[in-house]
């Protein structure tokens, strides 16, 4: 509980703090120079056709670090309808938590082709932005109708930025992120740790046999350690598969079957609702028994892992091309961050807006992932 649940949850929160603080530091410098106000003024013309105003530019920009501070900064949007529309679409922007998933899937889709992988990576950002402004247009034409206020903004003079002011602003924003996101992520990660760790099950026969072989090895510590490591990985993978989370994955898998997901991928998707980057480590444990997905050996195992149950297409690669495209599109668009829903409910003043955000983003992600899967199949991506 302490090492994997509490410390792991704190680590999952803190690991993104440096890049989030760096983005806020740079934004603060831009704001202090007088540039950001002019950027918002220019972006007003771009965002106005979609029912948003220039005031929404900074919250949407901040959401590329993390949607939580982006949503909280929507308080600066004066029009209540535009503010609510910005809150609802901010999570479509690609946040830092999505990046490990993008790296994994683009590397699987384009092995040895960094340029094409980079283009797909950039396409994820573009798709998120397009989905966000498109959703804003829809919501402003339906449930949040109303005439937009003209943007009135006093443009400050250009000046040299204050590093001290930027540091203080960054500290305040970082502390706010830890307080608002950290506590929620901690609670969710502990629940998911419990679901992924219980009930305890006996190691599989293959793991027991490897341990017996390791016990018989004499005067060859590397060979013994290798056998014990294989046994540990088999036991970890089996334990995750038979846990409550694994059972939930098998139960829910038919819902995700049209997207090409088997039960193992479904477990990863379910676990990632705590934080999207958890998907990578969860898949590493389920498929290889190890968490270090960045290791070349583990990555190779992930790319060659095969499905185990007939309902998921036994024998097929877990990450075949159509499924990898489907997963990538799903992670770009899906609402897989429960702390964001908590902050949305708080900032909007009503939980119904958080539920609408969850339903809309999940529906869009499911439909787009299904389309990507069918297109990849049609164009011979099997």
């Amino acid at each position: 509980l302490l090492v994997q649940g509490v410390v792991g949850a704190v680590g999952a929160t803190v690991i993104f703090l440096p890049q989030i603080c760096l983005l806020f530091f740079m934004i603060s410098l831009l704001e202090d120079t007088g540039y950001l106000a002019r950027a918002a003024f220019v972006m007003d013309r771009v965002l106005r056709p979609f029912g948003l105003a220039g005031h929404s530019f900074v919250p949407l920009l901040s959401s590329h670090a993390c949607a939580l501070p982006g949503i909280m900064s929507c308080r600066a949007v004066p029009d209540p309808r535009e503010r609510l529309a910005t809150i609802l679409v901010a999570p479509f922007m690609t946040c830092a938590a999505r990046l490990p998933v993008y790296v994994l899937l683009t590397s699987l889709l384009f092995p040895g082709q960094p340029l094409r992988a980079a283009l797909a990576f950039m396409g994820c950002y573009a798709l998120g932005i397009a989905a966000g402004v498109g959703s804003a247009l829809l919501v402003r034409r339906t449930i949040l109708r109303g005439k937009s206020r003209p943007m009135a903004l006093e443009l400050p003079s250009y000046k040299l930025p204050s590093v001290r002011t930027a540091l203080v602003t960054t500290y305040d924003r970082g502390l706010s992120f830890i307080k608002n996101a950290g506590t929620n992520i901690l609670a969710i990660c502990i629940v998911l740790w419990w679901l992924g760790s219980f009930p305890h099950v006996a190691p599989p026969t293959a793991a027991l046999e490897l341990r017996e072989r390791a016990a018989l090895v004499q005067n060859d510590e590397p060979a013994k350690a290798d056998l014990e490591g294989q046994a540990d990985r088999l036991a970890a993978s089996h334990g995750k598969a038979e846990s409550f989370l694994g059972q939930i994955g098998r139960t829910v898998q038919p819902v995700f079957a049209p997207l090409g997901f088997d039960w193992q991928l479904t477990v990863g998707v379910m676990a990632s609702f705590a934080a999207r980057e958890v998907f990578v480590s969860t898949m590493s444990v389920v498929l290889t028994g190890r968490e270090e997905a960045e290791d070349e050996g583990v990555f190779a195992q992930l790319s060659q892992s095969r499905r185990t149950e007939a309902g998921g297409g036994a024998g097929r690669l877990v990450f075949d091309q159509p499924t990898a495209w489907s997963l990538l599109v799903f992670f770009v668009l899906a609402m897989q961050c429960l702390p964001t829903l908590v902050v949305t409910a708080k900032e909007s003043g009503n939980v119904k807006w958080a539920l609408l955000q969850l339903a809309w983003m999940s529906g869009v992600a499911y439909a787009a992932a299904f389309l990507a899967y069918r297109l990849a199949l049609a164009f011979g991506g099997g």
Side-chain angles (χ1 to χ4, degrees):
L1 171 63
L2 290 176
V3 174
Q4 298 179 3
V6 176
V7 176
V10 172
T13 305
V14 175
I15 193 172
F16 293 106
L17 191 59
Q19 51 197 307
I20 289 171
C21 287
L22 178 61
L23 179 62
F24 281 129
F25 179 75
M26 299 303 295
I27 289 175
S28 180
L29 289 179
L30 290 173
E31 188 172 15
D32 211 20
T33 61
Y35 169 80
L36 209 55
R38 288 166 171 80
F41 182 76
V42 171
M43 288 302 295
D44 183 65
R45 297 182 181 180
V46 178
L47 295 174
R48 185 67 62 183
F50 299 98
L52 301 176
H55 296 99
S56 301
F57 171 66
V58 173
L60 295 178
L61 178 64
S62 301
S63 296
H64 281 89
C66 178
L68 299 174
I71 289 172
M72 287 186 285
S73 65
C74 289
R75 298 170 187 174
V77 181
D79 185 272
R81 291 187 179 88
E82 290 174 353
R83 182 189 314 127
L84 188 51
T86 307
I87 289 172
L88 291 175
V89 304
F92 277 115
M93 306 301 112
T94 289
C95 64
R98 288 180 169 105
L99 301 187
V101 184
Y102 291 0
V103 170
L104 172 66
L105 294 176
T106 54
S107 300
L108 288 168
L109 282 166
F110 302 107
Q113 302 177 70
L115 179 59
R116 297 180 72 179
L119 289 174
F121 199 98
M122 293 168 59
C124 294
Y125 276 86
L127 178 60
I129 293 170
V133 296
S135 297
L137 176 62
L138 179 64
V139 78
R140 290 288 281 133
R141 295 287 178 88
T142 54
I143 57 176
L144 292 176
R145 287 182 180 176
K147 190 175 181 180
S148 298
R149 294 184 184 181
M151 185 178 182
L153 185 67
E154 182 180 353
L155 296 179
S157 60
Y158 281 117
K159 62 179 181 180
L160 288 174
S162 167
V163 175
R164 181 179 179 278
T165 300
L167 289 173
V168 171
T169 302
T170 301
Y171 174 79
D172 288 340
R173 295 285 184 88
L175 192 62
S176 177
F177 168 78
I178 291 294
K179 287 181 178 178
N180 287 277
T183 51
N184 294 310
I185 291 175
L186 176 62
I188 294 164
C189 283
I190 289 174
V191 172
L192 286 172
W193 166 83
W194 184 83
L195 290 173
S197 302
F198 292 94
H200 289 303
V201 294
T205 304
L208 296 175
E209 291 174 353
L210 285 170
R211 292 191 194 282
E212 290 174 1
R213 287 171 56 190
L216 296 174
V217 173
Q218 301 292 333
N219 303 321
D220 192 349
E221 288 301 320
K224 185 174 183 177
D226 182 60
L227 289 170
E228 290 176 344
Q230 292 181 48
D232 290 341
R233 290 192 290 273
L234 280 173
S237 178
H238 179 72
K240 184 71 76 172
E242 297 301 322
S243 66
F244 290 124
L245 194 61
Q247 295 172 32
I248 293 171
R250 286 188 176 88
T251 303
V252 177
Q253 189 272 333
V255 176
F256 290 96
L259 309 185
F261 302 177
D262 70 338
W263 73 267
Q264 297 167 110
L265 288 174
T266 304
V267 169
V269 169
M270 299 299 293
S272 66
F273 274 94
R276 295 176 178 94
E277 73 281 0
V278 172
F279 173 81
V280 177
S281 59
T282 301
M283 294 310 302
S284 297
V285 172
V286 170
L287 296 176
T288 72
R290 295 189 287 182
E291 292 191 9
E292 306 84 8
E294 296 81 6
D295 184 91
E296 280 191 24
V298 177
F299 179 80
Q301 284 182 271
L302 284 173
S303 64
Q304 296 302 317
S305 296
R306 297 191 176 271
R307 308 184 183 208
T308 59
E309 293 186 2
R316 281 176 55 194
L317 290 174
V318 172
F319 291 103
D320 59 20
Q321 280 222 339
T323 303
W325 278 117
S326 174
L327 263 173
L328 187 60
V329 171
F330 186 83
F331 270 91
V332 170
L333 301 174
M335 166 51 75
Q336 288 171 282
C337 185
L338 295 180
T340 298
L341 292 173
V342 174
V343 173
T344 294
K346 180 180 176 183
E347 294 296 316
S348 65
N350 197 316
V351 72
K352 72 177 184 181
W353 296 113
L355 295 176
L356 174 64
Q357 188 181 61
L358 173 63
W360 173 249
M361 291 186 67
S362 300
V364 170
Y366 191 95
F370 176 76
L371 181 61
Y373 182 67
R374 302 310 301 181
L375 287 173
L377 284 176
F379 286 98

